[in-house]
Amino acid sequence: MEIKTVKGFKDILGIDAILFNEIQKLSYNIANAFGYKLIVLPTVEYAELFDRSVGNTTDIVEKEMFTFDDKGGRTLSLRPEMTASVARSFIEHHMETNPMPLKFFYFGQCFRYENPQKGRYREFYQLGIEALGDISPILDVEVIQIALKIIEHFNIKNLKVKINSIGCRVCRPKYKETLTEALKPHYNELCSDCQRRLYTNPLRVLDCKKEKDSLKESLPKITDYLCDECMEHFEEVKKLLTELKIPFEVDNTLVRGLDYYTKTVFEVVSEDLGAQNALLGGGRYDYLIEDLGGRKTPGVGFALGVERFIEILKARNYKIPDNKKIYIAYDKKFSSTAFKIRDSLIPDFIVEIDPKGDSIKKQIERASRREINFVCILGEDEFSENSVSIKDMEKGNQIKVKIDELKESIKELINNA
Ligand SMILES: [Zn+2]
Ligand SMILES: [Zn+2]
């Protein structure tokens, strides 16, 4: 029997792989420029970590985890998201002894046992940032700003931030009570999950895809129940966003599907992509580290789904600023010189050497089937003159230059094109 990929898993190939790499590289560079440092975390954690952080009445933990016992009898999960792991790592390595805030960037695969559909797989990649150890609304806005910066870098415009505040331990319990009361008359309209969660976690109704928008919009708004501290924090975030001219709108139905969030939650949407399409989401989680046994340490971050982003970029025909491709066609006698020439051109250009080294004509023919920009020809004549001929594959013309001047000559040809 032919062995294939497992249901919900996939290979990332061709243009997808190129975009994958580009997203990873650019997002890291941008986050790094804001002072966020790379953190690389294990894909497997104790299942309990996600029970206690993401929350055991969320869809993710109730239905979507890859959880199993290993041979040592440990109950483990493939991580369904990364923030809980960042928090676990923070506690485990006593990072609270560092000057705060600590800022991290991550990029890695997560796993959720969902029904596979387009752009949604059981193994998927997320990139994101976390800023830990500071309560200031400045950081909420910084995180949002970095998120926008990354997306804008890929030429997606007309971005808008949807924000909400979901309060804290002081103000949320009262809102939950009010919400439960408001939902009781609608009990029969609710899906079975929401009926079950009505008394334990009524906020989940607000992000349940099965419930009607008209119902959600008729419910009491959490921003009417915020305590002074949460209200002040939310006002400060909105004020800064306004001053920075970052377009935003308050969406009181936005709660995000994870229990650890507090105060600010947000999503970024683009009008270019249709209003319901969130590109990424995030928020503040001021109790997460404390709930996992660490010292009280607030945090804020966002996560972006890489596969969906790849699909969006492909649909929009995103062109990666390309490195020109060069092919070296040469007389077999001069193989080592061909290698040296390639060495002098890397990493400014993508350079391939013809593996066969047969007639130069045939090599140029092969190059013409490989989207090559320039062929560097090293034949008898060129070798005797310490030169290389550069053939412009688009225009068809050819010039001869000294080997030492090859790199600069190619750059000139590109600039004058
Ligand atoms: Zn509060
Ligand atoms: Zn529901």
Side-chain angles (χ1 to χ4, degrees):
M1 192 188 89
E2 192 187 347
I3 299 174
K4 297 190 172 169
T5 48
V6 176
K7 183 179 178 185
F9 290 74
K10 63 167 189 317
D11 302 319
I12 301 175
L13 304 168
I15 181 69
D16 289 42
I18 293 168
L19 289 169
F20 180 93
N21 180 50
E22 191 71 2
I23 293 167
Q24 181 170 26
K25 205 169 60 183
L26 274 177
S27 57
Y28 170 71
N29 286 347
I30 291 169
N32 192 241
F34 280 90
Y36 288 69
K37 299 205 169 73
L38 183 67
I39 185 168
V40 182
L41 300 156
T43 45
V44 175
E45 300 273 5
Y46 284 100
E48 193 191 347
L49 173 65
F50 304 109
D51 273 2
R52 284 172 52 187
S53 56
V54 174
N56 53 18
T57 54
T58 57
D59 273 355
I60 295 174
V61 170
E62 275 189 344
K63 301 175 186 169
E64 297 168 0
M65 294 252 280
F66 277 90
T67 297
F68 56 95
D69 288 344
D70 76 357
K71 287 176 183 166
R74 301 170 191 90
T75 302
L76 308 176
S77 293
L78 301 181
R79 64 182 176 206
E81 61 105 55
M82 304 274 260
T83 304
S85 297
V86 173
R88 193 265 310 137
S89 178
F90 181 93
I91 299 164
E92 185 168 346
H93 300 286
H94 301 287
M95 294 185 197
E96 70 279 358
T97 55
N98 292 287
M100 296 289 138
L102 276 188
K103 299 176 173 183
F104 295 111
F105 168 86
Y106 62 76
F107 187 105
Q109 61 269 70
C110 301
F111 303 83
R112 290 184 199 173
Y113 198 87
E114 288 183 281
N115 267 336
Q117 40 182 289
K118 194 170 166 50
R120 234 174 160 175
Y121 299 90
R122 289 179 179 173
E123 179 183 32
F124 57 95
Y125 284 79
Q126 279 195 343
L127 69 87
I129 60 171
E130 312 288 359
L132 302 168
D134 196 296
I135 197 84
S136 165
I138 300 267
L139 280 181
D140 306 29
V141 175
E142 176 176 290
V143 164
I144 290 171
Q145 195 189 21
I146 295 170
L148 295 176
K149 196 100 183 164
I150 289 172
I151 299 170
E152 279 167 356
H153 220 85
F154 289 88
N155 292 328
I156 299 176
K157 301 279 158 54
N158 294 318
L159 298 174
K160 192 164 66 182
V161 183
K162 286 187 178 182
I163 56 167
N164 193 17
S165 174
I166 56 171
C168 68
R169 278 185 186 159
V170 175
C171 53
R172 203 188 304 166
K174 189 155 153 264
Y175 174 68
K176 272 182 161 180
E177 259 175 52
T178 314
L179 188 58
T180 304
E181 285 307 312
L183 283 166
K184 271 187 197 165
H186 300 281
Y187 185 82
N188 291 325
E189 298 164 43
L190 301 176
C191 75
S192 55
D193 286 332
C194 288
Q195 287 180 341
R196 194 163 37 81
R197 293 169 187 160
L198 180 57
Y199 294 95
T200 50
N201 202 346
L203 255 65
R204 293 279 70 89
V205 176
L206 293 170
D207 69 359
C208 176
K209 302 266 183 295
K210 290 176 188 154
E211 310 308 338
K212 288 198 248 14
D213 285 344
S214 56
L215 170 66
K216 290 180 192 175
E217 278 152 23
S218 73
L219 296 168
K221 294 179 180 9
I222 187 154
T223 43
D224 293 334
Y225 292 83
L226 297 177
C227 65
D228 289 350
E229 192 197 310
C230 286
M231 187 55 96
E232 219 171 277
H233 189 98
F234 194 43
E235 290 304 319
E236 194 59 35
V237 170
K238 289 191 286 183
K239 185 170 154 244
L240 260 169
L241 289 174
T242 308
E243 284 172 8
L244 290 168
K245 297 192 166 49
I246 294 174
F248 71 91
E249 90 186 6
V250 175
D251 178 352
N252 286 121
T253 66
L254 183 69
V255 290
R256 313 274 310 141
L258 304 116
D259 280 353
Y260 53 64
Y261 284 125
T262 50
K263 291 197 171 91
T264 315
V265 287
F266 65 90
E267 286 181 356
V268 175
V269 297
S270 166
E271 279 164 20
D272 293 5
L273 309 172
Q276 76 284 14
N277 284 326
L279 281 164
L280 61 83
R284 184 164 269 289
Y285 45 88
D286 291 346
Y287 307 119
L288 174 60
I289 289 176
E290 179 183 353
D291 284 350
L292 291 171
R295 195 187 291 175
K296 188 168 169 33
T297 308
V300 57
F302 77 77
L304 174 147
V306 175
E307 281 80 358
R308 243 206 91 226
F309 202 48
I310 290 175
E311 289 304 319
I312 289 167
L313 294 180
K314 279 201 304 192
R316 298 168 60 85
N317 241 327
Y318 175 77
K319 292 266 178 297
I320 292 170
D322 59 333
N323 263 355
K324 294 293 178 192
K325 292 191 188 114
I326 292 171
Y327 201 79
I328 301 182
Y330 59 100
D331 188 312
K332 220 174 189 170
K333 295 196 285 284
F334 313 128
S335 299
S336 63
T337 309
F339 269 82
K340 280 179 204 154
I341 290 172
R342 169 158 75 177
D343 205 43
S344 73
L345 297 175
I346 282 176
D348 297 55
F349 305 104
I350 298 167
V351 194
E352 290 187 75
I353 285 186
D354 190 282
K356 291 199 172 61
D358 48 6
S359 86
I360 286 182
K361 190 164 164 262
K362 278 189 185 159
Q363 295 180 55
I364 295 173
E365 263 172 39
R366 278 197 289 275
S368 70
R369 291 195 297 269
R370 295 172 68 90
E371 291 176 15
I372 299 294
N373 302 102
F374 300 100
V375 178
C376 293
I377 300 162
L378 180 66
E380 294 271 5
D381 290 353
E382 284 88 358
F383 186 79
S384 64
E385 293 166 25
N386 218 3
S387 298
V388 182
S389 294
I390 310 169
K391 185 177 171 69
D392 184 326
M393 294 300 278
E394 203 182 315
K395 294 181 181 151
N397 53 348
Q398 193 169 315
I399 56 163
K400 201 189 277 179
V401 301
K402 291 286 176 204
I403 289 179
D404 307 350
E405 294 157 11
L406 177 61
K407 186 155 93 181
E408 289 316 309
S409 303
I410 295 172
K411 285 184 178 170
E412 253 171 58
L413 285 174
I414 293 166
N415 290 335
N416 297 336

